[in-house]
Amino acid sequence: NAGVTQTPKFRILKIGQSMTLQCAQDMNHNYMYWYRQDPGMGLKLIYYSVGAGITDKGEVPNGYNVSRSTTEDFPLRLELAAPSQTSVYFCASSARLAGDEQFFGPGTRLTVL
Amino acid sequence: RKEVEQDPGPFNVPEGATVAFNCTYSNSASQSFFWYRQDCRKEPKLLMSVYSSGNEDGRFTAQLNRASQYISLLIRDSKLSDSATYLCAVESGGSYIPTFGRGTSLIVHP
């Protein structure tokens, strides 16, 4: 199993550009999450999904959108990139919502200039 | 008070030392607790879950103190390879999604 995969690994965007961060998992997990991690800080939840077709906002959703058309994929869309979105983005999945380990992808390092 | 708080450190200890970190949480209804390890420029990986009765995995011991609302991680006989950031994660009763602390940096030196 590849686990959770993310692409791209690195990206530099100009202010106002848009992009999609890809995330896929092959563990048949229903629950998927997007976090951002700023230097020296913990993980902040952007969006999460409890199954295909169902998504909900986390703590810091502004400037982002998500979709979940399949169990495997959970892309994160950045519209009109801003310098404040410079961060490391981690996608994660879990088999259950409560009391379960989260498996993280390797992350995407995004810089907005 | 922040939902989940950790001392960012760094904790700088010699090999063989015993070191302990705490993580405090504000929601008394919190149900599940975890410690994750994050190496530099890598993703977090689960180190251990924290059970009410406490649990041990080799050199690592995790404990929960509900009365004072904190969890702890004890590392005995520290190795160079233990150098990393240790994130605590606490699931609150409402959303079931864990809130992560900012992490505690551990540096083990020869």
Side-chain angles (χ1 to χ4, degrees), chain B residues 3-35:
Chain B
E3 207 168 329
V4 177
E5 289 196 75
Q6 293 183 257
D7 180 347
F11 285 62
N12 211 315
V13 303
E15 272 187 292
T18 295
V19 62
F21 315 132
N22 284 344
C23 167
T24 59
Y25 59 94
S26 60
N27 188 338
S28 59
S30 296
Q31 294 296 323
S32 300
F33 309 87
F34 309 88
W35 283 104

Side-chain angles (χ1 to χ4, degrees), chain A:
Chain A
N1 286 352
V4 180
T5 57
Q6 292 183 239
T7 55
K9 285 188 168 52
F10 306 93
R11 184 72 185 269
I12 298 175
L13 281 182
K14 293 182 180 178
I15 294 172
Q17 287 186 319
S18 300
M19 76 165 293
T20 298
L21 282 66
Q22 301 292 344
C23 173
Q25 53 91 10
D26 62 0
M27 296 175 281
N28 202 32
H29 287 170
N30 282 326
Y31 305 98
M32 296 188 74
Y33 317 83
W34 272 106
Y35 294 93
R36 60 175 287 172
Q37 185 176 38
D38 299 324
M41 303 301 288
L43 300 161
K44 294 200 180 296
L45 183 67
I46 305 171
Y47 271 95
Y48 68 99
S49 170
V50 300
I54 307 170
T55 63
D56 207 348
K57 295 178 181 179
E59 184 184 356
V60 290
N62 290 348
Y64 307 95
N65 276 301
V66 293
S67 59
R68 183 98 182 267
S69 56
T70 67
T71 299
E72 293 78 19
D73 300 299
F74 190 38
L76 177 72
R77 177 85 177 159
L78 276 73
E79 305 281 3
L80 299 175
S84 61
Q85 293 178 305
T86 294
S87 190
V88 181
Y89 291 83
F90 289 104
C91 178
S93 72
S94 64
R96 296 176 299 158
L97 189 58
D100 203 18
E101 173 183 5
Q102 290 192 340
F103 294 85
F104 287 84
T108 294
R109 294 184 175 275
L110 175 68
T111 302
V112 182
L113 300 174

